[in-house]
Amino acid sequence: MPEPLFHRKRFSPGDYLRTKEARPKNVLLVPPTSTHLVSMSKWLHPNLGVERLAAYLRRFGHYAEVFDLNLFKTLGSGQGRDRLTFEQKLAERPWDVVGFSVYEATMANDFANMMLCEKIAPQALIVAGGHAAQFAYQTVLDKSPARMVVLGEGEKPLRAIVEGAPLDTIPGIVVKQSGQALTAEEFAEVTTGVCYEELPYEVYWDYYLKLYRDAGTEITALLSKQIHTVRIYTRNYCPMNCTFCSSTNWLSFAAGAQGVKMTDFMGQPLIDLLKRVLKAHPRTETVYFTDDEFCIVRDKLLEFLRLAIKEKLPLTYICFTRVDDLDEEVIALMAEAGFRAINVGVESLNQHILNEYNKHITVDHIYNVFGWLAKYKIMPSCSFILSSPRARLEWVEEVAEGILREIRAGRITAGLNIAVEPQRGASFYEEHTEFETQRVSIPGTKMTLKRHHFIKAQDPEVREFQYRFLEAWASFIERELGERRGHVVSQAQSELKLGLALEVIRQIKAERGTPTQLRASAMSEADRSKHWATLERFSYGASL
């Protein structure tokens, strides 16, 4: 798997102090840099854009020069005006600002030059500009050491940066100031600082009570527990780095550093918070711990469970966890503590796909966990992603049949995605390039957004499955679910989706070797857009 790129240092106000000093500044400007000898296929010439910037800064008393790496590579060492290597140029003087012009075609090389600059001239403020930098400034700030991107013409913004103007007074710049993860003490402070006494939970609860009663649905004890729920965060992020998920990289990208410390809020302080919530909202029946991973630190989990058993609060609990954090001892204590349900990230029942998702778990252990949960009468709501980017059709079929078998046995409920959504910040987003993408108009403008719905499978049959399912599901919900009213949650859709998925797989297998086998994956953009529009009209079916 390709490793995400992270900043090597954290930008802080101290990085900007050198430019505030009342003296002429040293500025180095670097044009976009090709990987090859561009003079053999292009007319090499001075880059007037950066030469203009350098001349403009010199007019105001600053030392500014251009180092053209394309020219250096063409002439070779020791020839022409630039007799130094880029490394030597960076070490030649204490540069205050090093600016890089970025092209789309040279972006990776320009980023590599920025990283070299950061290594050799760590005191320099790295700034990026140009058309490509402007239109991809999030990419530039996320994946290079640049701390600022100049928008549009660069003369005035760059001069203001060089002369230390306050950042909020400089027009035409985007600045990244890296975030800082909360400490354990700060995380506890903000968790307990939520004004639960003022949150209008009762308004939300009454809305759903009315919604179900108006639909003629009996408010059973279980439904009442589902409605009267309060959510609490106990952990800042999940560190497990599943390839389809951006959670692990969320704080790392923000802080510009790998290995951001995981913090949590457990033990007696969490018990005290539960008592406070119950006092503020006596109708509370369930507390949902909505972290990505509630059970990851075993000793803290066991401590909380034993405290909850001792306290015997009139509450039931739900949490989200990974299947590999569950064993019979943990599940038995969870049942005794009052956990009536858990959301479990299972994702697949095929070992090849589990490995692709970086799940660190075996299929045998998953089925063991299902058995233990059934033994202790905890109903798991399991999340699954049916088709991975490298899946084979028989693998997808195996997973669909396994999920359906467990649902019909009453051992699980399931939330089902047919394909992997390419989340920005996830390893899969970096690794794969073929996405099912829809152009969405922004109301009141002539602009559009590109919405990436799923990663196209590499195997032709699995890709065909993805598109046939898109077509079949859009038609199905319009025909069968369009007249339904009420609250249709994802678990209610899953058995329907699985039945359709298996029917599509049977069709593809029956058509192997025929001209019609791969028809749907070649459907037109207009047809795909029509299907997405149908799915969006019925909000409970808008996701594959």
Side-chain angles (χ1 to χ4, degrees), residues 230-283:
V230 170
R231 296 173 178 245
I232 294 176
Y233 289 104
T234 68
R235 186 161 284 112
N236 60 343
Y237 79 105
C238 171
M240 297 308 296
N241 202 29
C242 294
T243 49
F244 55 83
C245 179
S246 60
S247 177
T248 299
N249 296 333
W250 173 52
L251 291 179
S252 298
F253 269 77
Q258 295 192 48
V260 172
K261 185 176 181 180
M262 184 179 68
T263 59
D264 52 35
F265 183 80
M266 297 286 282
Q268 188 61 48
L270 180 54
I271 294 291
D272 294 340
L273 180 59
L274 295 175
K275 292 179 180 178
R276 181 182 146 201
V277 167
L278 197 55
K279 181 179 179 181
H281 304 281
R283 288 168 57 188

Side-chain angles (χ1 to χ4, degrees), residues 12 39 68 180 218 223-224 229 371 399 401 440-441 493:
S12 67
S39 63
D68 189 344
Q180 291 184 344
E218 179 189 359
L223 182 55
S224 182
T229 296
V399 177
E401 290 174 343
V440 181
S441 297
Q493 301 173 36

Side-chain angles (χ1 to χ4, degrees), residues 431-450:
E431 180 182 352
H432 296 283
T433 58
E434 289 194 84
F435 304 150
E436 165 51 33
T437 301
Q438 179 191 15
R439 291 180 296 168
V440 181
S441 297
I442 301 174
T445 76
K446 294 182 179 180
M447 295 183 289
T448 61
L449 297 173
K450 292 182 180 179

